[in-house]
């Protein structure tokens, strides 16, 4: 009985952490993406539409070079799982709209959040638009 309660608490913890992170990440991306590199560390990797970069400097450069100025996100689903090494896997499905484009685009993004002191950072980040290449 105690073990079951502990497991439920653990599940809510990683889910709560993942969902709070997602809300913070996309709010920050929308408001001022130049602040996002603070969520990464030197061992972080980002793959954005197949272009892979590493470390805070590489990620900051990639975010700075994105072709759009403004973006709005609508997250449809967020799934979180704990990993055996203490990290949290976070999968996001949603839609985005860039600049003054009337067209909504589907996207998916996967994060691995790793603990750091009393906080979490993005260890891995993979982003893809929902565009199909046949």
């Amino acid at each position: 009985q105690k073990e079951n309660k502990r497991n439920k608490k653990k599940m809510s913890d990683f889910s709560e952490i993942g969902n709070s992170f997602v809300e913070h990440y996309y709010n920050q991306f929308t408001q001022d993406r130049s602040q996002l590199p603070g969520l990464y560390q030197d061992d972080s990797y980002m793959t954005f539409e197949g272009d892979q970069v590493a470390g805070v400097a590489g990620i900051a450069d990639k975010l700075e070079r994105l072709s759009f100025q403004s973006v709005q996100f609508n997250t449809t689903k967020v799934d979180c799982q704990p990993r055996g090494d203490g990290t949290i896997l976070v999968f996001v499905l949603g839609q985005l709209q860039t600049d003054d484009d009337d067209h909504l685009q589907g996207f998916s993004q996967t994060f691995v959040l790793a603990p750091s002191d009393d906080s979490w950072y993005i260890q891995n980040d993979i982003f893809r638009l929902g565009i199909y290449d046949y």
Side-chain angles (χ1 to χ4, degrees):
Q1 188 83 15
K2 272 187 178 178
E3 187 64 28
N4 195 16
K5 282 185 180 179
R6 191 176 305 135
N7 287 340
K8 282 186 178 183
K9 176 70 173 138
K10 256 187 174 176
M11 283 187 73
S12 68
D13 285 352
F14 74 78
S15 185
E16 186 177 316
I17 290 165
N19 280 284
S20 293
F21 160 77
V22 166
E23 185 178 337
H24 174 72
Y25 179 87
Y26 292 110
N27 282 339
Q28 189 65 62
F29 204 120
T30 300
Q31 293 170 9
D32 182 5
R33 71 176 178 237
S34 71
Q35 299 301 308
L36 287 176
L39 300 175
Y40 298 85
Q41 291 188 6
D42 287 335
D43 68 338
S44 298
Y45 283 87
M46 171 190 273
T47 303
F48 193 94
E49 286 294 300
D51 184 20
Q52 189 173 66
V53 294
V56 176
I59 292 167
D61 183 58
K62 178 63 183 174
L63 291 169
E64 188 178 303
R65 290 184 293 114
L66 293 176
S67 61
F68 53 87
Q69 298 304 310
S70 66
V71 63
Q72 294 296 317
F73 292 95
N74 177 28
T75 56
T76 308
K77 296 288 181 189
V78 177
D79 296 307
C80 306
Q81 293 181 349
R83 301 190 59 219
D85 61 359
T87 60
I88 300 172
L89 179 66
V90 180
F91 175 77
V92 181
L93 188 63
Q95 295 178 316
L96 62 82
Q97 191 172 15
T98 57
D99 296 325
D100 294 327
D101 191 359
D102 290 336
H103 181 71
L104 291 174
Q105 296 184 55
F107 78 92
S108 64
Q109 192 160 10
T110 303
F111 300 96
V112 173
L113 303 180
S116 175
D117 299 323
D118 292 337
S119 189
W120 296 83
Y121 74 97
I122 303 168
Q123 192 170 49
N124 301 88
D125 177 356
I126 301 171
F127 175 91
R128 279 283 180 182
L129 289 172
I131 299 172
Y132 302 99
D133 294 328
Y134 292 103

